[in-house]
Amino acid sequence: MLINFFRIFNAIVLWTILFIFLPKQSFKRFLPVTLFCSSILLIQTLLNPIFNWWHVKGGYKYMVFDALAFILGPFFTINLWVFHFTYKKFSLYAFLNLIIDFIFAYLLNPFFQKLGHYKLKKYTPTTIFFIFYLLALINYAFQRLFEKYKIPENHSHQ
């Protein structure tokens, strides 16, 4: 029960901060890449019962709820902030993601497991670190390609 409260409270606080402080143009600009990477994590979650990468108490329903709380809460909002502050500064983006992914994999992950949030089965903290960091690099490439081929918003159809 406490974990569910934390999940919901966390998402509400992070989204409130996002809507108050993140410029609307940054939200619109980086929403596609954030949806892209969130979708990848959701697919990974949906594949988890087949590959048994981690376990969440309560079965499939709780695993999906847990994943959505994480993906749509801290992952989604932090991704938008990181792109807002670091986009077009690749070395800063890469370094910041290295730090964030390290903190999650080696500090927060053991803490969440100790709380009973989930239990890793076939993943290790190093697996999580490399997957998240690789995803960050893929996201950066996605955003660059998206902007390269994006039709300008003020483009009129005649």
Side-chain angles (χ1 to χ4, degrees), residues 25-32 87-88 143 146-147:
Q25 70 190 48
S26 286
F27 182 84
K28 285 175 146 181
R29 181 179 188 187
F30 302 121
L31 183 61
Y87 189 61
K88 296 221 174 157
Q143 183 65 28
F146 182 80
E147 289 195 357

Side-chain angles (χ1 to χ4, degrees), residues 93-148:
Y93 175 87
F95 180 71
L96 185 57
N97 272 282
L98 191 75
I99 300 300
I100 291 170
D101 296 340
F102 182 89
I103 290 170
F104 180 77
Y106 297 105
L107 301 177
L108 294 177
N109 170 55
F111 174 72
F112 290 144
Q113 287 191 78
K114 189 172 252 181
L115 284 178
H117 206 22
Y118 58 85
K119 178 75 175 141
L120 294 180
K121 301 290 243 168
K122 294 183 180 173
Y123 276 7
T124 66
T126 303
T127 307
I128 290 173
F129 173 77
F130 281 116
I131 287 172
F132 275 37
Y133 195 67
L134 179 62
L135 184 56
L137 298 176
I138 291 168
N139 290 342
Y140 196 87
F142 177 94
Q143 183 65 28
R144 294 294 297 218
L145 287 171
F146 182 80
E147 289 195 357
K148 182 177 180 180

Side-chain angles (χ1 to χ4, degrees), residues 58-119:
Y60 189 74
K61 178 176 85 171
Y62 287 93
M63 181 196 62
V64 171
F65 178 73
D66 184 60
L68 288 175
F70 171 73
I71 294 168
L72 298 176
F75 184 81
F76 199 94
T77 56
I78 291 170
N79 198 45
L80 286 166
W81 282 111
V82 168
F83 269 99
H84 171 72
F85 287 116
T86 66
Y87 189 61
K88 296 221 174 157
K89 303 171 200 154
F90 180 74
S91 58
L92 180 59
Y93 175 87
F95 180 71
L96 185 57
N97 272 282
L98 191 75
I99 300 300
I100 291 170
D101 296 340
F102 182 89
I103 290 170
F104 180 77
Y106 297 105
L107 301 177
L108 294 177
N109 170 55
F111 174 72
F112 290 144
Q113 287 191 78
K114 189 172 252 181
L115 284 178
H117 206 22
Y118 58 85
K119 178 75 175 141

Side-chain angles (χ1 to χ4, degrees), residues 47-56 119-123:
L47 290 173
N48 180 48
I50 297 168
F51 296 102
N52 198 31
W53 293 316
W54 66 88
H55 175 74
V56 176
K119 178 75 175 141
L120 294 180
K121 301 290 243 168
K122 294 183 180 173
Y123 276 7

